[in-house]
Amino acid sequence: MAKTIVQEFTKGLWDEIPPFRLVLGLCPTLAVTKSVENGIGMGLATTFVLLGSNILVSALRNVIPSKVRIACYIVIIATFVTVVELLMQAYTYPLFLTLGIFIPLIVVNCIVLGRAEAFASKNGIAKSMADGLGIGIGFTLALASLGAVREVLGAGTILGIPVFGPSFEPFKFMVEAPGAFVSLGLMLAIMNLAGKK
Amino acid sequence: MGDYILLAISCILVNNILLAQYLGNCPFLGTSKKMETAVGMAMAVVFVGVMAGVITWLVNKYLLVNFGIEFLRTITFILVIAALVQFVEMFLKKSIPGLYAGLGIFLPLITTNCAVMGLCLININEEYSFLESLLTSFAFAVGFGLALILFAGVREKILLARVPKPLQDTSIALVTAGILALTFFAFKGMA
């Protein structure tokens, strides 16, 4: 528990990077990573919710009775999800449509509830902020990298820019559901090989 | 009548909630190591999924749309599901202890199962009627159970196989799930 704030932040980027190290939050990971752009959008939305809920849960940790804590966390998280939903609807409408049902589903993303329960309810506000931000950015990086792999192979583009010549035949498998499972599985294997820092 | 059968088949196989819509993957990987837990989870999801689908449909129509407060949908649905799970748990414990023992710890876990929340949201987004919602909730939940139990069977076999070290556990499970998804993907040709 003698970790500094900086360490709390950086652990989210490698040692505990979701969903590779903490195998949580798989549904959005699989569903939205057809392209880099979607991955980053989803990652940032989740980061916002994580940061908000971590701060609030940490601030209220001595007020919330432990018997009803999970229900309280869920209400806090759902509030931030609603905020993000309305913000995205107002400012990034095309992305809002692509992500669709997965924005309200951030509520049941186990990463968010997991951090509230495992970290924010036991630590101070500053540390919880660092933790939320670190895990959130780690999640965004993971989604973006998975999105990059699938977009390059499945559509032959990266962020919408073609990377191969016109003769490239897109590897359709990668942008569909089976490709999502297989590429995430192989990414996990690569992370296992790379080992912990 | 034919339409309803078609809708049910499309929800169970073609748009399988796990393998085609990517919902409920955490319990999919978490409870598929053993056949027993997979069956328990599948049963719990069917049970709660149908009830949640019906109740959220009613809440949406008569509460949220009626008062023009649809922006509160996310928060309301999760509360309804959480309360429902608690209630079902207490009810089963009192009146049907056998079933309660069978479902065991899987009931509370359902609150954070995005398949349940997902099917409620799909029902609303697709603007299904009450009967259609009832049917799709059941069909989606059955599809979830089907995929989960199939996958648990495969995973029990994997335990006996020699898997390369970096691929062990979750990694090989995901690759296998991909192959399973490929078989479900073939049903898309039917639609």
Side-chain angles (χ1 to χ4, degrees), chain A residues 21-39:
Chain A
R21 292 270 184 247
L22 305 168
V23 188
L24 292 173
L26 290 176
C27 308
T29 312
L30 293 165
V32 304
T33 52
K34 279 184 192 166
S35 70
V36 183
E37 195 192 344
N38 290 354

Side-chain angles (χ1 to χ4, degrees), chain A residues 23-27 30-31 34 74-75 78-79 81-82 85-86 101-102 104-105 107-108 110 113 150 173 175-178 180-182 184-186 188-189 192-193, chain B residues 18-26 28-29 71 74-75 78-79 82 111-114 117-118 121-122 125 166-168 170-171 174-175 177-179 181-182 185 188:
Chain A
V23 188
L24 292 173
L26 290 176
C27 308
L30 293 165
K34 279 184 192 166
I74 287 180
V75 173
T79 313
V81 171
T82 310
E85 212 181 336
L86 294 175
I101 170 175
F102 287 95
L105 283 179
V107 176
V108 282
C110 352
L113 189 63
R150 289 181 66 195
F173 171 77
V175 286
E176 299 291 352
F181 284 103
V182 173
L184 180 61
L186 294 179
L188 272 173
N192 282 344
L193 262 183
Chain B
L18 260 172
L19 299 169
Q21 313 237 29
Y22 320 93
L23 292 169
N25 279 297
C26 301
F28 180 55
L29 290 171
F71 64 93
T74 312
I75 225 172
I78 190 72
L79 281 179
T111 314
T112 52
N113 183 341
C114 47
M117 175 95 172
L121 290 169
I122 290 172
N125 286 348
L167 272 165
Q168 268 168 11
T170 327
S171 180
L174 277 166
V175 176
I179 297 168
L182 206 56
F185 193 58
K188 280 227 165 116

Side-chain angles (χ1 to χ4, degrees), chain A residues 31-32 35 37-38 92-103:
Chain A
V32 304
S35 70
E37 195 192 344
N38 290 354
T92 57
Y93 194 61
L95 189 63
F96 174 79
L97 288 183
T98 344
L99 298 182
I101 170 175
F102 287 95
I103 303 169

